[in-house]
Structures are given as C-alpha cells and as structure tokens.
Amino acid sequence: QVQLVESGGGLVQAGGSLRLSCAASGRTFSSYAMGWFRQAPGKEREFVAAISWSGGNTYYAVSVKGRFTISRDNAKNTVYLQMNNLKPEDTAVYYCAASTIATMKSAAYDYWGQGTQVTVSS
C-alpha cells in the first residue's frame, strides 16, 4: 500500500516556474515507478511524465518535453516535477501516481494522490 500526497501547486504567471512534490508513505516506494498526470477542466486526464523505480529512465509528453523535469529521491520517498516556462495551457490539477512500470497509461497506475492545482495566468 502506498499513500501519495502532492504539494507545490499554485498560481504563477506565464513563463514562470513551479516545483511539485509528491511524498509517499510506505517502505516500498523505491520499488515503484512514478508518474505525473494532469487534468484540466472539461478534459480527460493526460500523461505528463514518468520515471522508473531507479530514476534511470524518464518519459515525457511531447507538450512538456524540454520544459518539465521529473526526478525522485528514494531516500526521501519523494518524486518531483520541475516545471519551467509555464504556459496557460499547463493549467490543470496535477496528480502523482505509482505503478509497477513506468508508462504513459494511467490504467497501469495503482495508487494516486489527491492532486494539486496549478494555474498559469497569461
């Protein structure tokens, strides 16, 4: 069982940066791949980024590649999403999730956080 709590969301102007954190409970965090997803009002949840259990492999949606960076600290049971050069279209609720494999498919993720709101003003 893994419990996930996101933090770090907020309101930022276009071009600004935010760093999201996702703290996990449980001693098995390091055995899980982690992902970030987002959901904007009226839209389906979409993949943002994923990282393997070791941190050695990362994956990004085309829309965020080059602007967002996913990382993890297994000693702190935490995964991060550094978001730079934010755009209004990045506005969404951001969720972290845990899976046995790093994948873009949300159905593969077994555990989800409650989400944190990111709002980018133009």
Side-chain angles (χ1 to χ4, degrees), residues 75-96:
K76 295 182 178 180
N77 280 11
T78 302
V79 63
Y80 305 98
L81 185 68
Q82 177 67 43
M83 305 185 294
N84 298 329
N85 190 22
L86 282 160
K87 304 175 181 181
E89 51 264 42
D90 295 318
T91 295
V93 177
Y94 283 71
Y95 300 88
C96 70

Side-chain angles (χ1 to χ4, degrees), residues 24-90:
S25 65
R27 293 174 289 179
T28 59
F29 172 77
S30 60
S31 65
Y32 284 94
M34 298 297 295
W36 285 97
F37 291 78
R38 67 187 182 186
Q39 187 167 20
K43 295 187 177 181
E44 293 186 353
R45 187 174 297 184
E46 65 174 0
F47 170 77
V48 175
I51 188 167
S52 60
W53 67 269
S54 67
N57 293 296
T58 57
Y59 309 89
Y60 297 93
V62 171
S63 59
V64 307
K65 196 168 187 179
R67 300 188 297 123
F68 291 11
T69 302
I70 188 171
S71 62
R72 67 189 298 161
D73 185 338
N74 287 342
K76 295 182 178 180
N77 280 11
T78 302
V79 63
Y80 305 98
L81 185 68
Q82 177 67 43
M83 305 185 294
N84 298 329
N85 190 22
L86 282 160
K87 304 175 181 181
E89 51 264 42
D90 295 318

